[in-house]
Structures are given as C-alpha cells and as structure tokens.
Amino acid sequence: MQNHSVTMLGTGLIGEFYTMTLHSQRGRDRVEVVYSRTAERGEAFSARWGIPNSTTSMEEAINHPDTDVVVVGLPNDLHEEAIALTAAAGKAVLCTKPLARTAEEAKRILDTVERAGVFGGYLEDLVYTPKALKAIAAVQNGQIGDVTWVRSRETHPGPHSAWFWDGKRAGGGAIVDLGCHCIEIIRSYVGKGNRPVEVMCHADTLVHPIDAEDNAVALIRFESGAIGQFEVSWTFRGGMDLRDEIAGTEGTIWVNTFLRTGIEMYTSGGGEGYVAEKLESTEGWLFPVGNEVVELGYVDMFTDMFNAMEESRDPTETFYDGYVVNAIMDAAYRSNESRLWEPVDVEWRGGSTERIGSQAATFEGKNIVKEETLPDGRRKLILSDPESGAISDIVVSG
Amino acid sequence: MQNHSVTMLGTGLIGEFYTMTLHSQRGRDRVEVVYSRTAERGEAFSARWGIPNSTTSMEEAINHPDTDVVVVGLPNDLHEEAIALTAAAGKAVLCTKPLARTAEEAKRILDTVERAGVFGGYLEDLVYTPKALKAIAAVQNGQIGDVTWVRSRETHPGPHSAWFWDGKRAGGGAIVDLGCHCIEIIRSYVGKGNRPVEVMCHADTLVHPIDAEDNAVALIRFESGAIGQFEVSWTFRGGMDLRDEIAGTEGTIWVNTFLRTGIEMYTSGGGEGYVAEKLESTEGWLFPVGNEVVELGYVDMFTDMFNAMEESRDPTETFYDGYVVNAIMDAAYRSNESRLWEPVDVEWRGGSTERIGSQAATFEGKNIVKEETLPDGRRKLILSDPESGAISDIVVSG
Amino acid sequence: MQNHSVTMLGTGLIGEFYTMTLHSQRGRDRVEVVYSRTAERGEAFSARWGIPNSTTSMEEAINHPDTDVVVVGLPNDLHEEAIALTAAAGKAVLCTKPLARTAEEAKRILDTVERAGVFGGYLEDLVYTPKALKAIAAVQNGQIGDVTWVRSRETHPGPHSAWFWDGKRAGGGAIVDLGCHCIEIIRSYVGKGNRPVEVMCHADTLVHPIDAEDNAVALIRFESGAIGQFEVSWTFRGGMDLRDEIAGTEGTIWVNTFLRTGIEMYTSGGGEGYVAEKLESTEGWLFPVGNEVVELGYVDMFTDMFNAMEESRDPTETFYDGYVVNAIMDAAYRSNESRLWEPVDVEWRGGSTERIGSQAATFEGKNIVKEETLPDGRRKLILSDPESGAISDIVVSG
Amino acid sequence: MQNHSVTMLGTGLIGEFYTMTLHSQRGRDRVEVVYSRTAERGEAFSARWGIPNSTTSMEEAINHPDTDVVVVGLPNDLHEEAIALTAAAGKAVLCTKPLARTAEEAKRILDTVERAGVFGGYLEDLVYTPKALKAIAAVQNGQIGDVTWVRSRETHPGPHSAWFWDGKRAGGGAIVDLGCHCIEIIRSYVGKGNRPVEVMCHADTLVHPIDAEDNAVALIRFESGAIGQFEVSWTFRGGMDLRDEIAGTEGTIWVNTFLRTGIEMYTSGGGEGYVAEKLESTEGWLFPVGNEVVELGYVDMFTDMFNAMEESRDPTETFYDGYVVNAIMDAAYRSNESRLWEPVDVEWRGGSTERIGSQAATFEGKNIVKEETLPDGRRKLILSDPESGAISDIVVSG
C-alpha cells in the first residue's frame, strides 16, 4: 500500500476538482506542492486544501523533493513545457485534457515522455465516470453485441475561464474544450483497437462574439464500420448536458451523466448553497448530481492512475490516447475547412478490427431479413435472395 | 359542421392506424370504401372497421360516388398512380409519407394536383403529435429564442411489411422510411421558410442482408445557419425510439414521443394484450404509450386536414412540403455516394431567413462573451475586442 | 351515428375544459346552451366557444328544448339541485367530481336519478386518461398478477376558484377536491368489485390560513387484502403532481400523468404562451404535457359517456361509483377525527373478492419462500416449514 | 492522517459490501481480521479480499491485537453479544442496521457502549448516499422551506439470506429489514431534533409463505406536524426500488437511488457480467447504477465514521439514532396489532421543534390564501377572514 505525493500545477477550476478528489474520503495520496502564477491565488489554494507548499515557480514546484507525481492542470498552451520539465525531473506526469493543441504537439509530448521513460497518464475523466465504467464493461462483456454507433454529447453555456475563449491559447473552441471528452468516450465504446479512419465535421460560431467555434457536430468513421458522433456546444441552455448513447447489434445503452441522474428539486428560490457546475439558475426545477467528483469520474480516474503506477502497467488512458484524440480533432478542424471527409493522420498502434458482421441466418437458401411471431403462433419470415437481392415473405408453422 | 366520407387505399399497418383514428372517439368522418389488392384482406378490413364497401379495383374505389376524400396508404411506388386517378376524379387526396421516391416524382405529383385544383394533404403524422404541436408552438412563441440545432431521431428494429425492405419499391431504406419524418420535424422547428441549403449524409448497411441502407446519419444546413441532424436506423434494439431535441439561443426542448412517456411497466410475462408498436418483448420493463393514434399524431393530423378543407386553407403539411422532403432525401443519398455536402435541389417557395443573430452586449467598447455573478455579488465579465478578437476579463461591482 | 346536444352548467375552469373537449378535433357533439350565474360570464363563454344560447336561469338552461344532455360543472353545493332538475326534465345528466359533499347527499342524488330512469354519468376524468386506460387494461389482462397495493397521488399548490377553499361550500378541502380522483383510480386498479372495508386517514392544515385540510394521506383496505393509499395536497411546489403506482404479485406499473411525460423545456423566460395548468413559473425547466384535454382524460371520458347512452349500457363511471367515492371520503374524515380505522359505510352492490393468494410452490413438503439461481447454475431454495414456520435453505442441482 | 485496522464480523452480503468499500479506491483503512462461523467461508472471504487473518472465534476476532475498530455485520440476534464484547475490548464499534430487534435491546446496547466510553457508529448507509447528502444539505440550507411530508420507499423481491425470512432471528420482516432505512431517511429530512410522536402502521403477509410481514406502510407524525411515510415490501417486482420524496413549504425534492439513475440498457440477453443487486432479469430493459458501494452510501458512511473517530466527534449516525429507529419500529408493530396510532416510547434527547408555520400574509386585515397574477397584470387574491374563516376573492391592480 503506497502513498503518492503530488505537485499540482494550476489553481483553476480543474485544479480545484483534482485536489478535492485527492483530499476527499479516506484517500492516502495528498497534494504537497501547488504552483500558481500569482502568489495570492496559490496561497489561498494552499490554505483551502491544507497544502504545505506553494510557489510561483513552475520549475521549483516540479522539482520539489517531497513529491513523486506532477499533475498538469494548466491552460493548453503550457502543457508541453510543464510535461518536458517533469520528464526531465524523472517524475510521473498526469496531464489534463486535451493533451495538446494539435496532434503534432501531442506527438512531441508523447515522444518526450516515452524517451524519458516516466509514467504518463492522460486525465480524461469522463471515461472514468462510474456510469461509463459500468457501461463500457457491459459492452466489453458482449451485452449489446457489436457496437454500430455511439453518440457522445457535451454541451453547456460556455467555460468560466477567459483563456478558454481565446482560440489561440486553447487551440480552438468547443471542439478542443469538449470534443476531446466525446472522442475518448466514443473510442472506449467502439474499442480502442478500432482505428478512426476519417472525420466529417461542421462547426460554426453562432452566438458568442468570438473567433473560435461555439457549436460543432462531427462524425467519425471507424474501421469496423461503426460511427462515432460528437455534439459539442458552448451555447446550450439549461445546465451541462453530458449524455452518451450506444447502439449495438444486440442492445442499447443510454447514459445521462449530469442533468437527469435521479435527483429532482424544485425550489422557490430561498435558501443557500452550491447546487451544481454550470447551473444557470437557483430556482425552479433543478437537477443536481449526488457527488460531482465521483459522477464526473475524478475518483476512479486517480485510482486507476496511482494503481497503474504501483502495478507497473499502463493506465486506461495514456498519453498515446491523448495523441489519438488530438489527431481526430485535427481531422475535424480540417474537415470543417475543406467540407470534406478528412482522414485521421495518426501513427496507429492499435492493430486492426473486423467489419461489424452479423452472419445472417438463412431459410431455404435465402437470407432472413426479419422474423416475427404472429398472434396464432406461426412465424413470418421476410427473406432476401442472396443473388438478386429480391425481397419476399413467407409464413411457416412456429 | 361538415362530415367527410373517405376512400381508404390500402389495408396494411398504416391503413389500420388511419382507420382506427377516423373511427375512434366521437368523430364525424368515416371510411366508406376500402381498396385492397386482395379481396380477402379487403373484406376482413371492412368487417373489422364496419366499412360498407370493399373492392379490389383502385379506380372503382377512388371514383366511388359515396366519398369525397381519398386517403393513399399504399406502397411508395403506387402513390403517383393513385394520386393521379384521384386528381382526375376531382376529389381531395391525402397521401401517406413519403410523398414519392424521388423529388422528381414528387414534383410530378405536386404538379398534377395543383393543375387539377384539388385539395392535397401530406400525411406526415409526427409533426402533429400533441408534443410536437406544443413544442413547435413554444418555439414560434419565442420561448427558446432562435433555433440553432435540431436533432430528430427515429429508429426501430425494422419495418413489418416485406415491400419496405425492397429498395426498388420503397425508393431506399431507412432514410426513405424514417428520415422523411425527421426532416419534416426539423423543418417545423427551424421554420418552414428557412431554406435547406445543403446536406451531408453517411449511410451504411451494417446488419440486415439487404441492399438498402439500414442506418444513416445526416446533417442539413439551413439558410439561418441552423443545423438539422437526423438519425435513422432499422437496427435499434429496445422498441421504437422517437426523440427530438431542439436547441435555441434562449432555451432547450427535449421531446420523447414513444419509449419514455410516463408509463413504466414491469411484468414477469404472464397475462395478455397488445402493448405497443415495434415492441421487442412482452416481459421485463416495458414502456407503452397511452393512446398510440393520439401520441403518433394521427388524430390531430386528420383534424387539420379536414378543417383545412372546410376553411379553404392549406393544411399544415402540404404536397409542397412532401416535395421538399424528397428533395432533401435526394441530396442525402447523393451525399452518401459523393461523400460531399450536396446542395438541396428544390424549387423554393419559402422566401429567405436571416442568419441567427444575437446582438452581443458590450462593455466599454468590447463585446461581452460571458457574464457571471460571483459569490460576493460582483460581476465577472469575459470580453472580446471587436477588432483584434483578444479575450480579457474584468470584475465589476454588481 | 348519433349527435348529442349539451347544456353546460357552469363556466369555470371545469366548464372550459369540458367545452374545449367537446368542441375540439372532429367531434359530432356540441354545447348548445350554457348557464352562468352572471350574464357577463355566460356571454363571454358563449362567444368564446360559439354556443348559440346563454342564460342565467339554471332551470331554463336545463329545460332548453335543443339539448338532450346536461353537464353539471357547478360548485359542489349545487350538484343535488341541478341533478334533480335534470332528472325531472328526463334528460341524461353528467356530473363533475365529486358527486356530492357526503355519501348521504350522494345517495339521495343516486336515488333521484335511478327513480327518474335517466342516464347518469360520473365525470371522473382521471380514470379515463389514455395512460390509465392502458394500465387498467394491463391489470385486467393479468399482466401484473394480483394487485397488492395502489398509490395514487394528486397534489398542486391549491385551486383557482375561491369556493374551493371554503370547506362549507365544497364539503371539505384537499380530500374532497383531489382525493375523490385518487379513490376512483385506486378502485379501478384493485377492481370495482373489491369492497373497500375500512379507512385510516391523517389530515392537517399545515400552510394555508383556512379551516379545511390542505394535506392528507389515507390508507384504504380492500376485501382482497390490497391497500389503496392516497396522498393529496394543496401545498405541493413545482406544478401539478399526478402519479399512480400499482404493485402486483407479477409486476409493477408506474404512471406519471402530468409533470414527467416526455417533454422537457428550458427557457430563459422570454416568449409567450400558455404552458400548463397549475404551473408555478414560466422560466427555467418546465414540463408541459402534449394535449391537456387528452392527457387529463376528458376526451375518452366523454366518448365513453355518449357511447354508453347510444349503446344503452352503463358508462365506466356511474353515479353509484360517485356514491362509493363519497362513502370512502366520509370514512376518511371520520378517521381523521377519531384517529381510528373507520369502516366504509356503503350499500354495497359489488359482490365479493377473494383474498390475494399466491399458491406457494413446495419442495419436499416445505413451502418455497424464495428461489435463486447461483452463478454455478445450481438453485438455492429458501424453505419454510408449513407446520412450524421454521426457515431453512438448501442448494439443489439446477 | 490516521489509518484504521478493522475486524469484520460476518461474511454475508453486507460483509462483502463493507469490505469492498474499505478496500476500494485509494483508501487507507483495511480489514485485517475476519470472523465467520464456518472456517471455509471465512477463508474464502479472506482470500477474496486479501485479509491476513481469519477465525471462527468471534471473541478472538474482536480482541485481535492488530485492529482498533470492529464492524458488526451479523444477523440481528447476534448484535448485542458482539457489541458487548467489543465494548469490553475497548475498541470502536460500528454496527449494521438495524441496531437491535427491539428498542429495549437497542437501549441495552446503547447503555453498554456509553458506559464503556467507546466510539459507537450506526451503519445506516442510505442516509449517506451522495444523493441523500446533497438533498439533506439542500433542506438544511432552507432551499425547500419547512418540511411537511417525507415519503421513503424501499422495496424489492425479498432478501438473499435465509435468516432474514425468520421473524424470530430477525425480529420481524420487511419493517425490520427495510423500514429501519426509511425511518432514518425520514428523520434526516424532518430534522433529528424533531420528535417522532406517534405511528400508524398497516402490515400484512400477502405473498410469501412466512410468518413475518412481507408488506407494510406506516405514517409517523412528528412534533412539527410533519408526516413521515414509509413503504416497505418484499414482494416488489422489477428490481430494488429505493425512492424518497420530500415536500416543503418552498420546494420539493425527489430522489431515486437505484432504478432510474441515468443508465438505461436494453440487451437481447447475450453477454455476461453482474448488473445490479436484486435485479430480476438479465435481458430486456435493465437499469443498473454506476458504482453500487458509492450509490448505496457505503463510501461516505465509512468516511464519516473514521473521520469522526479522529476528530473526536459523534458520527452523523449514532447508536442513539439506532435506538430511536427501533423505538419507532416497535410503535409500528404495536400499531399494526392494535390498529391504533401508537405513541413512540423513547428517552428523548432531541429537544423540541416548533409547529410548521408559515406566517400568512394579509391584505386589509384578511389572510391571503392564494395570490395569482391575471393575464392583464392585475393580481387576484383569495382571502380568508381570520375571525369567521369566510372565504372571498378580490382583484387588485398589479
């Protein structure tokens, strides 16, 4: 039973969530050092979470002798530098999503970490929500057959921090902020060995006075024939909408992670207290979740990361996964410009996957298209001729 | 208060639903003549619904002196002939969806009816569901602002009749069967005067041994910038999934028409009785609807049709609408072949629509991207410079 | 195919709903005469609904030669007089719920109508909602086995009309207003031949400055052993909560009639338009229904009433049912005073019902309490000794 | 940051859940000793969870020098003995629900622990579910005003272990098994200082061949006037139904802990894998939860227990709470026999609570019963005369 001591880089919303997770319940890992660009924020953060060391020097924070793990919770344009410094320090590094602003940058980061031989974990929390873990296991256990289609949706009224809205610093808009979640959710359901072949994306800036996209929809075609579909928006009204739908040849899964999870509250508006992230109102019908750091996957994510370190295995989400996500986002941006299906340009390590295949049952040499039981117990078969494709039907005894 | 007497062409599932609707509750309109290709089916149908006349001659049925309205509930390849005969007879004609197999065929049908000057109604029932009527009214009343995106989904395990599975007779697969519903639902929310500009579609035959597509997803870009997204499948597991989601600049609407409407039933499997269309099982958790002909829109649809005849106005759904739907489906099929966004080729009568526009509020000459109230009552503004696009933030007193 | 012409007594909310129902869709029955105490209200009502005759004389309205049916939509203290006049006129009479303020009054009304030999229909709409009809049919078809328990809940923030709040005119508070619905819903599920034996009720006036109860919960024990449970409140926050839950030995049914029926709408508050009855707000998350007069059962109720007249049969809801409801409410009020289970004092016409009985399966002379399949395929049986009641378990091969 | 070492008494379902909780995620507390009556079960359990010590001597397990905390997960009739031994050993003791079979037994247990001065924690997990914690906090923050009514429901098809079905060992049936959860949930919402005054209960054995009750409904009246209502059943079909509803003067909360939490899965029945506790089927529509030990409250419960030990404070759930629960259950059983409201016989430590009181607003000396805004902006007031109780209404300008 090992304990880990963490350097936390960044004190924004994501740093809050990460630290809340590590310091909650009966955990044995602790944040020991925090880095913030401004001393005031760093000290307030330290005080809030009982962290002994605070510094405005990223290098000092990373190299602090008391810690063995560095968590990167910084704006996207600072990931590469922070990871390079951590790799040089020989410490494990866990980086928030997206790994980088482009696949090229992600690949450099991946190479740096692999060369240094340090542990790298990609902090894609939404793949680790308890519901996602349960649903992914159901898919892997064959409970819904072959996956044919996954829809992953993440939309809300827009981020809190200014830098997110600045396409230059963030590397884009809603796609970079939210699409990275959806892509990895989709990959987890279709199978990580299922190569993303090409992407079609439509993005637009419909509401906010910004350069980056505030809405996008994309289709990802995988080698098996499965389609991943992501929908992201910074203009959704009503809270934060996190939903996934998975269709398989033998079943269906619908996951609602945030707005409809079994607590419904109506309030005339009195009283006090935090209800939920990205909530738009504090009166009327509200839909909180039980425990946000659990429901958003942070708890299971850090468990996997630290356990993986101790067991000398890869975590479920690696820097390679982060790089694939960036490659898919790059294809999405190219597609939005070219208006074409764009190939996903990635150094693929995942092997190959067969085409979704349901071996059709046959009847007297014809393929059975559909079979229904009639009220009188007989069976009606709709048949297709394998040569001509001609459709016919026949009723047979039950 | 007029009564109408109807000739019903066709005795399949749709003919059942239409007749059940007309003969239910305290309605004053009645089916007086039914046409079926086989005498046996026609007579069984007549007996079931108390219809005085049954014939195997389509022409005789259409020209029967007791009726003033002809309802076309035939396979897609017979619509044009039936409508031409009805137009020649000078009677009102109501045609099931889709109007035709292609826009070209639809245009010929439209021209025939307009030349004859008879009343033509397009029987797109899902635009008339009580929920759709309520939601469309809410959109038209401005309750969700400008519509930015509409998702319409119709999926089930596949149709009952053999002809549906035959791409030649039907004109296609799941797109022609189900996409036509989704397209008209989308148009009703984005506004029928909002021109559909181009379509991107991905279709595939993943499960069934047929030539036609059993799965498709498409994006429709409208003149205003709004995106319509339809998802259709003949391989969905779990019943019939009819859902629509509408995003607006000031609100959100989610409509679930069939599988989650407020009745939930668990049964160990005993007992008897019809539960719902396209249901896959009669035990476990089941999700019926109250009254199918109401919930699927048939009641309100025929009310609008007959009232429109009496008030000498167009119904909400006209043959022109049916033609636009076919034009969008044609573009979807072309797009699936070309892998390109394909223009919608239609003789447009709908005028033009402005781009979705939220006039950004400003603060000291900068556009306000987002405004939040801090716990201490002060307001935080995220601003973008209208010239440079640079993002900044500022905190001001409340 | 007969048409009926109706005299509508009363122009309040219920008169609106009834007339809206009769004049909606393609119905063949019409309101021809309306009575209101004040000429102004009567004339506004007539104009709104296209009714040719309006009068301030109840007698004149009832005896108007153009009508064959009288609908009583008046405050509870005027039902007896109106029904007596209608019976004297020899016309069919349909009376809103509750039939009377007490069982004694209800019995006099029942006797009057039976002596006169006119058709009497009890307008208990919530038994006729499409969902209730579907669910009651499922129960009657045996899909959930023997009913053991029914919960019926009707709560909202309080009625619109002043007279409702006046216990003297109404005959009570939330029990009389809402409990009458719940009782008849419960009876429809446990079976109308299942005698209500005794009632335990707790009522209180917790919030409003009135004499009548604004909250109540009651248990009704039926002859079969089934328990009906009603919950009524005039202090519920969040809209109108109409839910029923039915437990059976072989299944479960949950019905949500109003607040969660498959439409969910978030609005920032702009726009216009009626959303739903008893709604508390016009912004935030709102939950309208598709078509209120359908969803609240009015359409199917009037269909049953008029069809019953034409078919010379009893409607599903008779004045006798109304009388039983009053008898149960009387027992509830007595119980709230005495704090005891109070017998239901009613002239019972419904025959008798057997005790809920599941014949226990046996194994080697012992009753099987529970049977589970273990992961290895063997079966675990929990057994009770029929003599001693001793519990044991055993594992047997599958 | 202290670690705790635990002796686990019992290896049934509850011992599994407790150990799974303690050994999951990155927890710092561990089970070091396990006691089972049979060596085989104890060793299998130890192996499964990596526990170093297993014994068939309860005394040895409790007094093992490596542990500082004893968790009692034994049948109800063994609680008193186990707790007495632990108190004698001077260790902290945490006991599963219910604390005892009767209030008398519970009181002896409470006295034993208090005399010994050891830490006692009552393992009522359902008060610690993330949803309950969020909802209770909302109530305590005033977001729904004064609580008027709480419904807590726990029903499933019956327990797994034979001893549960044996009323003598368990102390009763569904009330003792499930009602204890509901009672403490209700107390948490109405306030633990709100004295339970009297109880009315109806119980019956409707389905299973046992002596103990398999169904019960009870009302608990609290000093404030609030009503708690619990519904328990061992005959529910469809899984495990855990729902709570809280009504307040300013709001409403609905909590669904198990069957409808945002994952919906349809499967044709292939595949493998555990889905959820008390599930009745592995095909059709299934409703799992994300992480059972989280969603059922075990994680937060043990966090509170261990933190309370370290902070030398009482946990949220004490042995005194367990005793109050037993006292309420005793009153329920007495009431079911006597058919009367029975007083709750308890040594009350909780102080007193005022009657629910909404100070009525007044208008011209009359109490305002209801206030509505009319379409034209004027306000309609329904008024009651504080002397006579007479009801009137008036329309005033807005």
Side-chain angles (χ1 to χ4, degrees), chain C residues 189-207:
Chain C
Y189 287 111
V190 301
K192 287 204 181 170
N194 199 346
R195 185 172 186 155
V197 179
E198 54 178 1
V199 177
M200 164 57 63
C201 178
H202 175 76
D204 206 342
T205 309
L206 290 171
V207 174

Side-chain angles (χ1 to χ4, degrees), chain D residues 262-339:
Chain D
I263 314 190
E264 308 174 55
M265 177 160 86
Y266 178 89
T267 168
S268 65
E272 306 201 330
Y274 175 81
V275 177
E277 196 195 335
K278 305 282 192 305
L279 202 74
E280 290 204 82
S281 165
T282 55
E283 63 181 82
W285 280 104
L286 308 178
F287 299 88
V289 296
N291 182 326
E292 278 188 53
V293 296
V294 172
E295 295 302 326
L296 291 175
Y298 297 116
V299 172
D300 287 280
M301 178 176 74
F302 280 113
T303 293
D304 179 50
M305 292 295 163
F306 292 125
N307 287 352
M309 285 178 211
E310 294 169 18
E311 297 162 13
S312 298
R313 61 165 172 86
D314 278 341
T316 300
E317 290 294 311
T318 65
F319 277 19
Y320 178 74
D321 290 312
Y323 157 63
V324 174
V325 169
N326 271 119
I328 293 173
M329 292 196 294
D330 283 3
Y333 280 110
R334 288 202 315 274
S335 171
N336 186 46
E337 290 298 315
S338 69
R339 314 300 287 159

Side-chain angles (χ1 to χ4, degrees), chain B residues 1-4 24-30 130-132 134-135 137-138 141-144 249-257 260-276 282 285 288-292 294-295 299-304 306-307 310, chain C residues 1-4 24-30 130-132 134-135 137-138 141-144 249-257 260-276 282 285 288-292 294-295 299-304 306-307 310:
Chain B
M1 200 165 93
Q2 286 179 264
N3 301 356
H4 295 281
S24 74
Q25 306 297 355
R26 300 284 301 164
R28 59 186 188 258
D29 312 303
R30 278 289 178 285
K131 286 173 184 161
K134 180 67 69 89
N141 289 336
Q143 293 181 326
I144 66 165
T249 51
E250 298 295 328
T252 298
I253 299 176
W254 293 335
V255 175
N256 197 326
T257 307
R260 298 291 186 275
T261 62
I263 313 189
E264 308 174 55
M265 177 159 89
Y266 179 88
T267 169
S268 66
E272 306 200 331
Y274 174 80
V275 176
T282 55
W285 280 105
V289 295
N291 183 326
E292 279 188 51
V294 172
E295 295 302 325
V299 172
D300 286 279
M301 178 177 73
F302 280 113
T303 294
D304 179 51
F306 292 126
N307 287 354
E310 294 170 17
Chain C
M1 200 165 93
Q2 286 180 265
N3 300 354
H4 295 281
S24 75
Q25 306 295 356
R26 301 283 302 165
R28 60 186 188 258
D29 312 302
R30 278 290 178 283
K131 285 173 183 160
K134 179 67 68 86
N141 289 336
Q143 294 181 326
I144 66 165
T249 53
E250 298 296 328
T252 298
I253 299 176
W254 293 335
V255 175
N256 197 326
T257 307
R260 297 290 186 275
T261 62
I263 313 190
E264 308 174 55
M265 178 160 86
Y266 179 88
T267 168
S268 65
E272 305 201 332
Y274 175 80
V275 176
T282 54
W285 281 103
V289 295
N291 182 327
E292 279 189 53
V294 171
E295 296 302 325
V299 171
D300 286 279
M301 177 176 74
F302 281 113
T303 293
D304 179 51
F306 291 125
N307 286 353
E310 293 169 19

